Amino acid sequence: PFVSAKVEELILERRARSTIIIVTHNKQQAARCSDRTAVFYLGRLVSLSFKARKSCTSGCGKCGPVPVAQPRE
């Protein structure tokens, strides 16, 4: 927990001026540290979501989960 907190602190400090890509199995950590989250299952993208912004009223659909079409087998 201490190391995770330090990593998250570093990410939050640097994300304003850098693009940061992290790979984690911890969904809560990803939600805390990211503006966008992609979920992969068996090597395929199954979900892509954008962090909701309080000021967004555009109805563009970019502020919630974006379903990804399932590939045909």
Side-chain angles (χ1 to χ4, degrees), residues 3-47:
V3 174
S4 293
K6 291 301 282 181
V7 169
E8 289 179 29
E9 184 179 312
L10 289 170
I11 290 170
L12 295 174
E13 286 175 7
R14 289 173 170 81
R15 72 188 239 185
R17 61 183 186 272
S18 302
T19 298
I20 300 171
I21 299 172
I22 63 170
V23 176
T24 181
H25 290 274
N26 187 327
K27 291 181 186 178
Q28 291 83 14
Q29 182 181 42
R32 285 191 303 267
C33 295
S34 65
D35 293 322
R36 298 178 187 166
T37 305
V39 177
F40 289 82
Y41 181 72
L42 298 175
R44 295 179 188 221
L45 180 65
V46 295
S47 175

Side-chain angles (χ1 to χ4, degrees), residues 36-60:
R36 298 178 187 166
T37 305
V39 177
F40 289 82
Y41 181 72
L42 298 175
R44 295 179 188 221
L45 180 65
V46 295
S47 175
L48 179 63
S49 62
F50 297 82
K51 188 174 281 186
R53 293 174 181 84
K54 291 179 183 177
S55 62
C56 183
T57 58
S58 67
C60 66

